[in-house]
Amino acid sequence: MFKRILVANRGEIALRIIRCLREMDIETVIVYSTADAQSLPVMMATYSVCIGPAKAAQSYLNQDTIIETAKKMNCDAIHPGYGFLSENAEFARKCEENNIIFIGPSSELIEKMGDKQAARTLMQENDVPVVPGSDGLLNNAEEAVLAAEKIGYPVLVKASAGGGGKGMRKAFNREELVSAFETAKAEAKAAFGDDSMYMEKLVLKPHHIEFQILADKLGNVTYLGERDCSIQRRNQKLLEESPAWVLDEKLRKQMGETAVRAAKAAGYYSAGTVEFILDQDGKYYFIEMNTRIQVEHPVTEMITGIDLIKEQIRIAAGMKLSHTQDEIKQKGHAIECRINAESVGKIDFLHFPAGCGVRVDSHLYTGYEVSPFYDSMVAKIIVSGNTRLDAIRRMRRALEELTIEGLRTNAEFMHLLTYHPEFIKGNYNTAFWEEHSGTIMKWYEEGRGEIENE
Ligand code: ADP
């Protein structure tokens, strides 16, 4: 097992990793930017090293400085968290070249799954259903139009190097497609330096269902159930839950086994997520594989009792998975709400919910200064209960207890969301935001939120 691990991230995920490593008796080195000097990860790690100014490009994304620090501090491994360098094949390769274990899959695997069109082809070859779409890349708008005529409108133009919803455009007819193709391509070029494009049929009102998998370097692959992440705003997930209400046991098993087949087809190891969309007829399609630990991983931890970060570290150290598929059970129901800051500045007073079935992953504390340089997510409230309704009631109670003074957040909005009839019925898909956020906003403006903090 490792003796010392460098944590190349910040915020709640850095804290999550440091806490886990402490329980495993492994020393930690946190690298941080000047903006994060007063952060909890810096206070809680065994060692901390400032690697640059607030701008991520000069600190958290500075590959060479991070590698140099790992070497200087005698670290055996680097945990990249999510975001930043977590799915950067070049960084993983530099770790490999410097004999530092990258806690994640190999650079080759990151590259393989990061090229979405190539991943699609690989899945097709292995009987994993993919959304009907173009064969290979589309070089220009004419090719896109021809492909769309074959597939049938509406279509979704996607960047092969895409992520975070960038480089993706819908088109309902030929005219829209020509401009959608050009804008998506330009956006992909600017965001990823790669404008390879492909196309999928636009599935109307699908569910976003993803399966958590764990795979070791010895060829064992397991799935740990799914998460429904259909409540999204501009492709950003806001609330995730497990189990997904739309799946019955049969479909769950079928999709889980497909996720395992997808991972095996790639020769995958580490923790990973296989993302599917599920259409209105109950047909599911692979959309992509994420090769990192995800924001919403605690939802799965709450219902399986398995520490995913710990497993990820054990796998990186070459150990066998600690559970067989038969030993993995989904128990009860878990929901996560992402709390996002809508302003920046100092937290005057903070109180987090606690009690039975509540988990809070956050780097906030009273007096902490939320900086404008990084992601706006400041806390994750995760609850579990025996039934979905228990979990919903617990989430409401937890959000009512949450008090963050000095910072505007979406907490009250999330609280109101848990009262929406379609959410309560579990009757929602990726169109939820578009269809219902207006109603929730109206309740919000009417002051129907029950949370007293500002
Ligand atoms: P990114 O990596 O940019 O997030 P994804 O391929 O994961 O891109 O897609 C992001 C979201 O877009 C999915 O969660 C889903 O809601 C929607 N989406 C993706 N592909 C399709 C499709 N073919 N039809 C309908 N919606 C889709």
Side-chain angles (χ1 to χ4, degrees):
M1 190 33 84
F2 305 116
K3 287 204 167 52
R4 192 180 287 175
I5 295 178
L6 183 142
V7 179
N9 214 297
R10 63 177 300 282
E12 71 87 17
I13 193 64
L15 202 54
R16 166 77 186 87
I17 297 162
I18 291 167
R19 283 174 168 152
C20 175
L21 291 170
R22 235 178 131 120
E23 290 169 13
M24 294 175 81
D25 244 327
I26 298 171
E27 291 186 336
T28 47
V29 176
I30 182 88
V31 289
Y32 65 97
S33 75
T34 49
D36 284 330
Q38 303 299 322
S39 70
L40 279 182
V42 171
M43 294 178 217
M44 285 182 42
T46 324
Y47 305 97
S48 60
V49 180
C50 183
I51 51 161
K55 263 201 153 152
Q58 291 163 45
S59 49
Y60 296 106
L61 292 172
N62 191 337
Q63 303 186 20
D64 294 334
T65 305
I66 294 171
I67 300 270
E68 278 317 304
T69 308
K71 281 164 70 178
K72 214 168 69 199
M73 296 295 292
N74 291 317
C75 297
D76 332 287
I78 296 182
H79 198 307
Y82 54 67
F84 294 129
L85 298 169
S86 62
E87 289 180 296
N88 188 310
E90 187 192 350
F91 181 67
R93 184 162 303 118
K94 283 185 189 166
C95 289
E96 289 156 8
E97 285 164 5
N98 284 281
N99 275 324
I100 299 165
I101 303 271
F102 176 82
I103 300 178
S106 65
S107 56
E108 202 188 318
L109 279 163
I110 297 175
E111 221 151 52
K112 207 193 261 183
M113 301 322 273
D115 180 342
K116 293 194 186 183
Q117 170 52 35
R120 238 175 93 82
T121 309
L122 177 70
M123 293 306 145
Q124 269 174 309
E125 289 165 1
N126 287 275
D127 289 330
V128 173
V130 299
V131 192
S134 55
D135 306 316
L137 297 173
L138 302 166
N139 295 309
N140 49 49
E142 288 88 78
E143 285 185 25
V145 169
L146 283 179
E149 271 158 18
K150 247 173 71 191
I151 300 162
Y153 289 97
V155 294
L156 189 61
V157 177
K158 286 184 163 186
S160 199
K166 284 212 184 83
M168 211 163 76
R169 284 287 184 287
K170 295 174 189 173
F172 287 81
N173 53 51
R174 189 195 166 109
E175 290 69 52
E176 276 181 24
L177 177 58
V178 174
S179 76
F181 184 82
E182 298 304 343
T183 14
K185 197 174 166 76
E187 191 173 284
K189 180 93 194 163
F192 316 110
D194 175 352
D195 61 359
S196 316
M197 305 303 292
Y198 67 105
M199 182 186 291
E200 282 177 358
K201 172 104 188 149
L202 178 72
V203 178
L204 297 171
K205 303 188 181 189
H207 280 261
H208 174 113
I209 309 274
E210 54 182 40
F211 275 75
Q212 177 69 52
I213 62 131
L214 283 175
D216 63 25
K217 293 179 183 173
L218 311 166
N220 302 301
V221 187
T222 54
Y223 69 95
L224 292 87
E226 77 286 5
R227 298 181 284 257
D228 190 324
C229 310
S230 301
I231 299 193
Q232 304 178 1
R233 175 180 182 239
R234 296 200 206 110
N235 286 309
Q236 297 291 326
K237 297 164 187 164
L238 280 176
L239 179 148
E240 302 95 348
E241 65 177 311
S242 184
W245 215 226
V246 281
L247 300 189
D248 57 26
E249 271 317 311
K250 190 165 157 249
L251 188 52
R252 173 170 300 115
K253 186 155 186 280
Q254 202 185 339
M255 289 178 78
E257 285 169 359
T258 307
V260 167
R261 196 158 67 242
K264 282 190 172 159
Y268 193 79
Y269 64 83
S270 187
T273 302
V274 182
E275 294 190 338
F276 296 105
I277 49 176
L278 176 71
D279 73 9
Q280 303 276 317
D281 305 323
K283 284 212 286 291
Y284 65 91
Y285 307 98
F286 168 91
I287 49 170
E288 67 166 335
M289 179 159 186
N290 292 319
T291 58
R292 57 169 194 277
I293 193 78
Q294 283 187 283
V295 173
E296 59 272 25
H297 77 275
V299 168
T300 301
E301 296 183 326
M302 291 288 262
I303 59 159
T304 60
I306 295 171
D307 183 330
L308 292 171
I309 304 269
K310 184 173 170 191
E311 289 299 320
Q312 203 186 15
I313 292 162
R314 287 170 45 95
I315 294 165
M319 295 167 80
K320 199 172 146 215
L321 292 184
S322 62
H323 300 80
T324 62
Q325 189 65 59
D326 289 343
E327 287 164 352
I328 298 166
K329 299 269 181 291
Q330 283 180 284
K331 190 170 174 295
H333 199 96
I335 304 177
E336 171 181 273
C337 279
R338 300 191 187 195
I339 306 302
N340 296 323
E342 289 170 352
S343 64
V344 293
K346 197 169 153 201
I347 312 256
D348 300 321
F349 179 80
L350 177 76
H351 172 77
F352 277 143
C356 191
V358 178
R359 165 174 169 180
V360 179
D361 278 21
S362 172
H363 56 293
L364 297 188
Y365 59 84
T366 299
Y368 177 76
E369 189 109 21
V370 174
S371 85
F373 296 101
Y374 311 109
D375 194 81
S376 66
M377 194 185 75
V378 288
K380 306 190 302 206
I381 313 290
I382 312 109
V383 299
S384 66
N386 287 330
T387 64
R388 183 167 185 268
L389 189 58
D390 286 342
I392 293 174
R393 287 177 182 274
R394 191 159 275 163
M395 179 58 83
R396 291 175 183 166
R397 184 275 278 176
L399 291 173
E400 283 155 20
E401 268 180 53
L402 175 69
T403 311
I404 305 176
E405 282 174 14
L407 193 71
R408 269 188 293 119
T409 72
N410 65 338
E412 198 173 314
F413 188 93
M414 296 308 289
H415 183 243
L416 287 169
L417 191 154
T418 65
Y419 284 89
H420 196 283
E422 299 307 319
F423 173 71
I424 296 169
K425 283 186 251 171
N427 183 22
Y428 66 82
N429 51 50
T430 52
F432 181 87
W433 184 266
E434 220 170 284
E435 292 172 354
H436 303 301
S437 62
T439 308
I440 302 170
M441 205 34 135
K442 196 167 141 273
W443 294 347
Y444 180 78
E445 279 158 5
E446 286 166 5
R448 282 173 63 176
E450 285 170 31
I451 305 177
E452 283 176 6
N453 45 307
E454 51 202 33

